[in-house]
Amino acid sequence: LGRHDLLQYDGHYALRSLGYYDNVGSLEQTTPVQWFGQRPWWSYLGFHDHPFLFFLIQHIFFKLFGASVVVSRLPSALAAIGTAITVFFIGRKLGNVKAGLISLGALALNSYFIWMGRIGLLESVFTFFLCLGLYYCLKALETDPKYFAYSGLYWGLSILTKYTFLFFAPGILAYILWRQRWIFKNKK
C-alpha cells in the first residue's frame, strides 16, 4: 500500500481527511470556508462535493494509526477485502459454492478492482457497502424480509460514501418489481 506516492484524488482525499476539513484550494471550485471566510458549524457534517463517510472513516484511521501513505489507503484495502468476501457469499447465495468461487475469482482478476483497493478513493468503500446491501437484499427476498433493514442500512452507508448509489437504486427496484413483486405485500 505504501509502494507508490499519493497522486491526484488519492492525496487530495487524504489531505482533506487528515484534518477533516472541507477545502480544495481552488478558485474554480470554492468551498464554504472561501464563501464565509471561516468554517461554518455545518461544515463538520459533510463536504460540499462528496458525502462525509469516507472522509470520516479515513480521519478515524489517521487518528488511530498516525498519518502515512499506508494508513490513508488502509480503509480502501480493507473494504476491497470485505467486498471480495461479500461477492463470494452473493455468488454462493445465487448459485452454489462453485458459483461463489467463480465470482470471487472473476473479481480478483479485475484490474480496476485491484487498483481501487490499493489507493485511497471513495469507490472501494462504496462498493463494499453496496455489495453488503445486495447480499442482505437477496437474503431478505429468499428467507425473511426482516433483512431488508440491514440492506437499507448498508445502502444508506453506501450513499453516505458516494452519491453513485442513486444510479444503482432504480436497477435494484426494477429487479424487485420484475422478479419479486410479492415482497411489496409484506409489511416488513
Side-chain angles (χ1 to χ4, degrees):
L1 294 178
R3 189 172 175 188
H4 302 287
D5 290 336
L6 297 173
L7 297 172
Q8 295 179 333
Y9 292 115
D10 191 18
H12 179 71
Y13 294 158
L15 181 66
R16 291 171 77 185
S17 297
L18 187 60
Y20 197 70
Y21 190 69
D22 183 18
N23 193 4
V24 293
S26 170
L27 294 176
E28 287 81 31
Q29 184 179 11
T30 58
T31 63
V33 173
Q34 293 163 301
W35 304 337
F36 302 112
Q38 63 184 11
R39 188 171 187 183
W41 66 268
W42 48 264
S43 70
Y44 293 96
L45 303 174
F47 289 73
H48 77 287
D49 57 344
H50 293 296
F52 71 94
L53 188 58
F54 177 80
F55 298 105
L56 182 62
I57 291 169
Q58 203 173 39
H59 179 72
I60 290 169
F61 271 69
F62 283 138
K63 289 289 186 189
L64 292 174
F65 306 114
S68 72
V69 173
V70 172
V71 173
S72 75
R73 294 177 176 158
L74 193 57
S76 296
L78 293 174
I81 292 168
T83 301
I85 293 167
T86 306
V87 164
F88 166 76
F89 284 113
I90 290 172
R92 190 178 78 174
K93 184 161 281 311
L94 291 174
N96 52 28
V97 173
K98 186 177 179 181
L101 290 172
I102 289 171
S103 302
L104 175 61
L107 185 64
L109 293 174
N110 184 313
S111 61
Y112 181 72
F113 177 76
I114 300 298
W115 172 78
M116 184 177 70
R118 291 190 63 207
I119 62 173
L121 295 182
L122 311 169
E123 283 77 7
S124 60
V125 177
F126 164 76
T127 305
F128 174 62
F129 289 135
L130 176 69
C131 288
L132 272 176
L134 288 173
Y135 173 76
Y136 279 107
C137 181
L138 291 171
K139 192 169 179 151
L141 292 170
E142 184 180 285
T143 58
D144 188 358
K146 73 177 181 183
Y147 289 109
F148 277 125
Y150 295 111
S151 189
L153 169 71
Y154 290 119
W155 285 338
L157 292 173
S158 177
I159 201 166
L160 289 175
T161 304
K162 190 169 174 132
Y163 296 128
T164 308
F165 178 77
L166 296 174
F167 296 103
F168 285 91
I172 295 166
L173 184 62
Y175 170 78
I176 293 172
L177 283 171
W178 177 50
R179 300 291 299 240
Q180 306 286 339
R181 195 172 304 146
W182 62 270
I183 203 68
F184 292 106
K185 295 178 183 173
N186 191 316
K187 289 182 183 181
K188 291 182 184 179

